[in-house]
Amino acid sequence: MLNVSPFALPPALKALLSQLGGVAVAYAAGRAGLLPPGAWPVVTVQAVAAAGIATLLRSARWWRWIHLGFMPVVAGALALQIAPGWYLAAFVAFALIYWSSFRTQVPLFLSNPRTAEAVAGLLRRDRPPSVLDLGSGTGSLLRPLARLRPDCRCEGVESAPAPYLLSRILARHQHNIALARGDFFKMPWGDYDLVYAFLSPVPMNAVWDKARAELRPGALLVSNSFPVEGVDPEQVIEVPDSRHTRLYCYRPAGHEPTPKPLASNAFGRR
């Protein structure tokens, strides 16, 4: 018989179990007469229990906040008697923005201009560089980076439809930006001088493995806020912005070989 650790369950299944467990705890507390009259004590116990179960299942921290607020939001919406069509509209909007975040555990993070300046400072100057932004969102890194380094080939890949469409609209006049919609793990990374990631802790080991397998010597992997577990970065850049951004910089394939000087010939000419 195959034993599966509850910690290894998919994020969506952990979320379902947390919510169902919260309902069971609230129901049991109500049946035992431990709660005062009214709906809100039941809702509060369910929310706290669901967040607690998510913590025990080692769900990502942001999932715990969702559990804590989910049932109160549902109860509040029901009390306001909101028309059903608004629920459908909200679901469609969130799906277009976050798309597969429930599976990948990578929410939508936006980089700021100060971060783009720091990344621009990492790019080589001896030839036009190339940058790949993993999960490029609305293009918040690539647009200022393309202005700072007009010689740079700036490329981004995003899976969620709404951020991708917005990024295409906002970058339509910047000809050194190329954007694609899809899975960045399914495309080659070998042609880039710098690969930028602002994701979450969850996919960073897989990002590191792919970077080690495909990046050429001298190429940089730069992770915004989330280091690769168990790997020491070459340097950590403190960005002077309001959120105290940290950029973890790695060279998965090592440094680029230094060209050897030309030796003099047999006749002693230099």
Side-chain angles (χ1 to χ4, degrees), residues 1 29 44 50 53 56 84 88 92 106 114-115 127 130 140 147 189 194 196 198 202 205 227 232 244 263:
M1 184 176 179
T44 302
I53 294 170
L56 293 175
L88 177 61
V92 171
V106 178
R114 286 293 185 90
T115 300
R127 62 175 173 80
S130 56
S140 57
R147 288 191 291 268
W189 299 359
L194 187 148
Y196 175 83
F198 192 6
V202 176
N205 285 338
D232 293 328
H244 306 292

Side-chain angles (χ1 to χ4, degrees):
M1 184 176 179
L2 183 63
N3 293 322
V4 179
S5 169
F7 307 129
L9 295 174
L13 185 54
K14 287 184 180 181
L16 178 61
L17 292 175
S18 298
Q19 283 297 316
L20 293 177
V23 170
V25 170
Y27 177 78
R31 291 279 294 180
L34 301 176
L35 300 179
W40 283 105
V42 177
V43 169
T44 302
V45 169
Q46 192 280 337
V48 172
I53 294 170
T55 302
L56 293 175
L57 292 175
R58 298 180 187 174
S59 297
R61 187 168 300 176
W62 54 280
W63 268 113
R64 302 168 199 175
W65 289 106
I66 290 175
H67 289 303
L68 198 60
F70 177 74
M71 195 58 72
V73 169
V74 170
L78 291 174
L80 293 173
Q81 297 183 342
I82 298 173
W86 288 106
Y87 294 110
L88 177 61
F91 172 79
V92 171
F94 277 107
L96 291 175
I97 294 171
Y98 294 102
W99 204 242
S100 59
S101 293
F102 74 94
R103 175 176 55 83
T104 63
Q105 299 192 67
V106 178
L108 176 63
F109 291 127
L110 301 180
S111 302
N112 55 47
R114 286 293 185 90
T115 300
E117 292 173 8
V119 172
L122 294 170
L123 297 177
R124 58 190 308 157
R125 298 281 179 178
D126 57 333
R127 62 175 173 80
S130 56
V131 172
L132 174 64
D133 185 357
L134 308 179
S136 51
T138 62
S140 57
L141 175 93
L142 294 179
R143 291 196 308 277
L145 183 62
R147 288 191 291 268
L148 291 167
R149 289 294 302 268
D151 62 325
C152 180
R153 175 166 60 94
C154 300
E155 299 186 15
V157 57
E158 172 60 46
S159 63
Y164 166 72
L165 179 60
L166 181 59
S167 68
R168 292 294 299 265
I169 294 171
L170 295 176
R172 64 189 183 280
H173 298 306
Q174 293 181 267
H175 301 296
N176 58 331
I177 294 180
L179 300 165
R181 181 168 174 258
D183 183 349
F184 52 75
F185 281 116
K186 295 182 179 179
M187 61 176 294
W189 299 359
D191 293 334
Y192 301 97
D193 297 300
L194 187 148
V195 174
Y196 175 83
F198 192 6
L199 303 171
S200 81
V202 176
M204 287 312 301
N205 285 338
V207 168
W208 174 250
D209 290 341
K210 186 172 175 66
R212 288 190 64 193
E214 297 187 13
L215 291 186
R216 58 196 175 197
L220 272 172
L221 171 65
V222 179
S223 177
N224 187 325
S225 303
F226 307 111
V228 180
E229 185 178 357
V231 181
D232 293 328
E234 179 182 89
Q235 63 174 321
V236 179
I237 297 176
E238 302 275 354
V239 179
D241 59 6
S242 59
R243 60 182 300 271
H244 306 292
T245 297
R246 285 187 172 189
L247 300 179
Y248 297 88
C249 304
Y250 305 88
R251 292 192 192 272
H255 287 269
E256 190 173 9
T258 303
K260 295 182 179 179
L262 294 175
S264 58
N265 60 25
F267 297 98
R269 292 191 299 179
R270 301 181 185 273

